[in-house]
Amino acid sequence: LGLSGPPGAGKSTFIECFGKMLTERKHKVSVLAVDPSSSTSGGSLLGDKTRMTELSRDMNAYIRPSPTSGRLGGVTRTTNEAILLCEGGGYDVVLVETVGVGQSEFAVADMVDMFVLLLPPAGGDELQGIKRGIIEMADLVAINKADGDLVVAARRIQAEYVSAMKLLRKRSRVWRPKV
């Protein structure tokens, strides 16, 4: 499962909750979290693992943060190989969290069975995602943080994306992307 979305969409929080649910159901979960690298120093914070404190202590979960090292597309040069290694190591669910900063970070879509775009309900110009790119690659669009005062905004953006996705060309004869 590949996951992308803008900063603040809740990708790491979603992965931790979803990962814990999966391990409680006896799945072995691997998380490959990709962080951006500095164009100045080349370094990367690799902070996703620290935001997944419960999942990082779970014996049925493995979290591997990796820097982009300047590679575009939202993943690292070796993400595809890392997915195969995790599968070979007995992890039956592999979650790949991309850098997720824009409309061209969808290289992971060709590496996974399902590509999920996480969106916050109040991110500004909601229909920005309709530009050809990341939205047309998504198999599922999940409006995250859709509780409390944001319920109305979440329902509105859901309706906008449902309408907008009808305008996109189908990628598959058997699956229609859901919002």
Side-chain angles (χ1 to χ4, degrees):
L1 184 72
L3 294 119
S4 191
K11 295 181 295 291
S12 295
T13 303
F14 174 83
I15 289 171
E16 178 164 56
C17 288
F18 188 56
K20 286 298 292 174
M21 181 197 76
L22 290 168
T23 60
E24 288 168 5
R25 294 179 181 184
K26 307 300 182 220
H27 289 279
K28 286 190 69 177
V29 177
S30 175
V31 178
L32 303 173
V34 181
D35 278 343
S37 297
S38 166
S39 58
T40 306
S41 69
S44 186
L45 292 176
L46 304 178
D48 289 310
K49 189 171 184 174
T50 61
R51 288 195 304 262
M52 299 179 210
T53 54
E54 286 185 45
L55 191 60
S56 67
R57 290 191 300 258
D58 191 317
M59 295 304 292
N60 288 313
Y62 168 73
I63 302 173
R64 171 73 172 135
S66 299
T68 59
S69 301
R71 181 181 167 99
L72 299 177
V75 293
T76 71
R77 184 179 51 81
T78 58
T79 297
N80 200 46
E81 290 84 356
I83 291 169
L84 295 173
L85 283 170
C86 290
E87 289 173 341
Y91 292 93
D92 59 328
V93 179
V94 180
L95 306 174
V96 181
E97 178 183 358
T98 73
V99 169
V101 293
Q103 296 179 14
S104 62
E105 282 71 30
F106 55 79
V108 73
D110 293 328
M111 301 175 188
V112 296
D113 296 319
M114 177 172 265
F115 179 52
V116 179
L117 176 61
L118 283 174
L119 296 173
D125 186 2
E126 283 82 5
L127 293 180
Q128 269 303 94
I130 291 178
K131 291 180 182 174
R132 302 295 185 218
I134 198 166
I135 190 68
E136 66 185 354
M137 298 304 291
D139 297 307
L140 179 69
V141 176
I143 312 303
N144 203 13
K145 300 182 178 183
D147 57 351
D149 294 341
L150 296 174
V151 171
V152 173
R155 294 279 183 224
R156 182 178 44 77
I157 192 172
Q158 176 189 21
E160 289 176 7
Y161 272 89
V162 166
S163 294
M165 290 185 81
K166 290 177 185 173
L167 304 173
L168 301 175
R169 186 174 355 148
K170 295 178 190 174
R171 285 183 47 214
S172 167
R173 292 179 303 178
V174 295
W175 177 257
R176 254 193 114 66
K178 308 287 186 217
V179 180

